[in-house]
Amino acid sequence: LQAVDCAEVVRQVVDGFRPRARELGLELVTASGSDEPMWVDADSDRLGQVVANLVENASSFATHRVEVGAGSVGGRPTAWVADDGPGIPPDQLAKIFERHFISDRVRGRREGSGLGLAIVSELATAMGAAVQAESPVAEGRGTRMVVWLRISHQPVGTHSTDGRADG
């Protein structure tokens, strides 16, 4: 694990998914608390994989829009992915991170193996983070996946937003 700018990882993942979102007719938006870096203790590649898996999953169920963001909630850094799809039935929320779990009541654009969210959970845990699902999000629809990360400090030798080198 090392200091990683979570906001930058989110931007890179979203940029990579833009062509796929256009193909699916989805609006893919990035939302964050600010343009400031958000330093977290993580493995950059694994964090990118977590966000990418969540975006892929949300894209399978979204009706019109997927929102991806990074910010601070209660002083704790988070990354999140939200969709405007049908949502997850309340009795299945506790099971969605289990290997091979596939809801029999919610169908998306494609069928999966039931491994994507289990992998997200395992990668998050390996980085000392946690992932949780919230559904419904608005008006009885939608799902938001939130990854709770470990805060880190700006690494030595990087530049602060006022242009001064730190360290």
Side-chain angles (χ1 to χ4, degrees):
L1 302 180
Q2 60 187 1
V4 173
D5 180 359
C6 181
E8 180 59 25
V9 170
V10 164
R11 282 189 290 275
Q12 289 174 2
V13 169
V14 168
D15 287 347
F17 270 92
R18 285 199 194 284
R20 178 74 176 134
R22 276 192 295 275
E23 270 179 32
L24 296 172
L26 296 173
E27 177 185 15
L28 180 61
V29 297
T30 306
S32 66
S34 71
D35 290 332
E36 300 284 322
M38 187 176 75
W39 298 105
V40 298
D41 277 334
D43 175 311
S44 182
D45 292 337
R46 298 297 74 83
L47 180 57
Q49 186 178 0
V50 163
V51 175
N53 281 5
L54 293 176
V55 171
E56 180 72 28
N57 192 68
S59 297
S60 294
F61 295 98
T63 305
H64 303 291
R65 177 182 166 104
V66 174
E67 179 181 288
V68 187
S72 180
V73 176
R76 189 160 177 205
T78 63
W80 72 88
V81 177
D83 67 67
D84 64 352
I88 300 168
D91 62 325
Q92 295 182 0
L93 272 174
K95 300 175 186 174
I96 63 168
F97 296 106
E98 294 175 7
R99 286 184 168 269
H100 303 294
F101 177 78
I102 299 173
S103 173
D104 58 354
R105 297 196 301 173
V106 179
R107 294 286 175 226
R109 287 184 175 82
R110 63 176 177 75
E111 294 288 326
S113 63
L115 291 175
L117 293 179
I119 291 169
V120 164
S121 179
E122 290 170 15
L123 290 172
T125 299
M127 291 186 291
V131 63
Q132 95 181 64
E134 302 169 352
S135 187
V137 177
E139 300 174 10
R141 296 182 55 79
T143 301
R144 179 183 303 117
M145 300 287 181
V146 181
V147 183
W148 298 90
L149 298 152
R150 294 178 7 185
I151 194 166
S152 182
H153 299 287
Q154 182 176 348
V156 173
T158 61
H159 292 279
S160 63
T161 57
D162 63 6
R164 295 177 302 163
D166 184 38

